[in-house]
Amino acid sequence: MKKILLACALTAVTFSSLGMNESSLAKDLDYPKRDIRVIVPFNAGGNADLSMRALVAAANHGKFFKGVNMYVENIGGGGAVIGQTAGYRAKPDGYTLMLYTSSLINNALFNNTSYKYDSFLPIAGYNPDPEVLYVPANSLCNTLKDFYDYCKKAEYVVGVTPGHTTGHHLRMMNIAEDNGFNFQYIHFNSASEQLLQVVGNHADFSMNTWGATKNAYKDGKVKILAIATKERMADCPEIPTFVEQGVNLVDGANRGICIREGVDPEIYQYLVDEFKKVIETDFFVRQMYQINAIPAYQTPGEYKKYMDDTYNTVKSMTEKLSKEVEK
């Protein structure tokens, strides 16, 4: 079964391993001296935007980056292509950073972009968000087995996504392919629109992250049949994992921060070191829990491994995705 697995450990090369002292590097580096912009290639208010705002707020609150101001700039449109293009065209001087998600991969593969998915260097991962499969509150399916049994018998099953070629769409396609299900997809432009379709009984099921689905679940508007973590989450111990129900799926969205390739290696290492400190602060952890998000640090190597694995999986499905577009 093809899977976009959460990142495995991979040791990042650091300047200390090359004989350079981190503290002397930061002291001697003539950076930063002015505000740092962080591009979020989505409109304001979504989970990705809120998570990055939490990270920026923690950086400013703790007076990291020598106390210079860091701010978010939302550049939405084109399924994130417009904002990602702005990030790619920015001078790689350390004063323009960008939210890093797997949408970079999808856009680079399926759109005529000026950048590739690896045209950016990961600085850190900070927000793994596990995938869930959910159905309307009044669905007759109460377990993943119920859902699979229903899919086997149904002529077709309607699934709704937050956009064609999103990670959620790909996971649905994986499940359909592995089990011979006939899923018919309805694509929208956001997780909120997607959720409303399930709440309103306009679709049989959907998949998205725990963070995007949590409130509707807590309010009793949807039922979550499985979560794609290795073990049950403390935040929702009543929700069984895919794994314990016989489906080898450990997956989800994974948000990070990056900079365009070409940046000075010393500036890049300074960003890596400083963001690790930010992500590990209690302030950041509290900010993330307030928006139903999971805080967790990933090294540049770990995040690159996640992106590489995702790229290989998506690329292997390009033909099937292209055929669906033609339908």
Side-chain angles (χ1 to χ4, degrees), residues 43-115:
N43 294 328
N47 283 43
D49 173 61
L50 293 175
S51 71
M52 182 54 72
R53 289 180 182 276
L55 183 61
V56 168
N60 290 334
H61 178 268
K63 298 189 182 301
F64 291 92
F65 302 96
K66 300 180 182 177
V68 306
N69 182 57
M70 186 175 291
Y71 67 95
V72 169
E73 180 179 349
N74 294 94
I75 306 179
V81 171
I82 296 175
Q84 289 165 357
T85 301
Y88 178 67
R89 290 178 177 172
K91 186 177 179 180
D93 56 6
Y95 292 100
T96 297
L97 311 179
M98 191 178 75
L99 172 71
Y100 205 9
T101 73
S102 60
S103 62
L104 265 168
I105 293 171
N106 301 333
N107 287 333
L109 283 173
F110 298 104
N111 296 290
N112 185 24
T113 61
S114 57
Y115 56 85

Side-chain angles (χ1 to χ4, degrees), residues 20-299:
M20 298 184 69
N21 182 276
E22 179 183 328
S23 59
S24 63
L25 173 66
K27 182 178 179 181
D28 297 338
L29 188 64
D30 190 28
Y31 167 86
K33 297 189 294 184
R34 53 185 171 85
D35 291 355
I36 298 174
R37 173 178 68 154
V38 182
I39 293 175
V40 171
F42 306 104
N43 294 328
N47 283 43
D49 173 61
L50 293 175
S51 71
M52 182 54 72
R53 289 180 182 276
L55 183 61
V56 168
N60 290 334
H61 178 268
K63 298 189 182 301
F64 291 92
F65 302 96
K66 300 180 182 177
V68 306
N69 182 57
M70 186 175 291
Y71 67 95
V72 169
E73 180 179 349
N74 294 94
I75 306 179
V81 171
I82 296 175
Q84 289 165 357
T85 301
Y88 178 67
R89 290 178 177 172
K91 186 177 179 180
D93 56 6
Y95 292 100
T96 297
L97 311 179
M98 191 178 75
L99 172 71
Y100 205 9
T101 73
S102 60
S103 62
L104 265 168
I105 293 171
N106 301 333
N107 287 333
L109 283 173
F110 298 104
N111 296 290
N112 185 24
T113 61
S114 57
Y115 56 85
K116 297 180 180 179
Y117 90 94
D118 55 0
S119 296
F120 300 85
L121 300 177
I123 296 169
Y126 67 90
N127 178 211
D129 198 353
E131 194 80 359
V132 298
L133 187 151
Y134 64 97
V135 297
N138 61 357
S139 171
L140 296 178
C141 299
N142 294 306
T143 66
L144 192 62
K145 182 180 183 303
D146 291 343
F147 177 72
Y148 273 41
D149 289 343
Y150 169 72
C151 293
K152 290 175 184 176
K153 298 174 183 177
E155 182 180 354
Y156 63 89
V157 178
V158 178
V160 61
T161 84
H164 190 277
T165 69
T166 56
H168 314 293
H169 178 206
L170 297 179
R171 293 177 193 105
M172 294 183 198
M173 291 184 68
N174 276 331
I175 290 175
E177 179 183 2
D178 288 349
N179 297 279
F181 300 154
N182 183 14
F183 288 167
Q184 300 294 311
Y185 305 101
I186 304 174
H187 303 294
F188 285 85
N189 294 317
S190 70
S192 58
E193 292 177 295
Q194 168 196 18
L195 186 61
L196 287 173
Q197 296 302 308
V198 178
V199 172
N201 282 283
H202 304 302
D204 295 307
F205 82 106
S206 192
M207 296 184 73
N208 208 304
T209 63
W210 167 242
T213 317
K214 179 179 178 179
N215 286 341
Y217 168 72
K218 294 290 187 179
D219 291 341
K221 295 179 180 178
V222 298
K223 290 191 287 191
I224 294 179
L225 304 184
I227 188 166
T229 51
K230 291 182 179 179
E231 299 177 351
R232 295 196 185 196
M233 286 179 54
D235 197 23
C236 51
E238 73 283 1
I239 300 177
T241 67
F242 280 92
V243 173
E244 68 183 89
Q245 297 180 89
V247 178
N248 185 27
L249 179 58
V250 178
D251 204 352
N254 202 350
R255 302 179 182 108
I257 188 165
C258 67
I259 188 169
R260 182 196 157 172
E261 61 183 353
V263 63
D264 182 285
E266 292 187 3
I267 292 177
Y268 174 69
Q269 187 62 37
Y270 176 77
L271 289 166
V272 169
D273 294 337
E274 204 75 347
F275 269 110
K276 182 178 188 296
K277 299 172 189 174
V278 175
I279 294 166
E280 292 177 345
T281 62
D282 290 340
F283 184 90
F284 174 67
V285 171
R286 291 196 302 270
Q287 291 284 304
M288 290 292 278
Y289 282 138
Q290 286 177 9
I291 60 171
N292 297 326
I294 300 170
Y297 174 73
Q298 288 177 297
T299 68

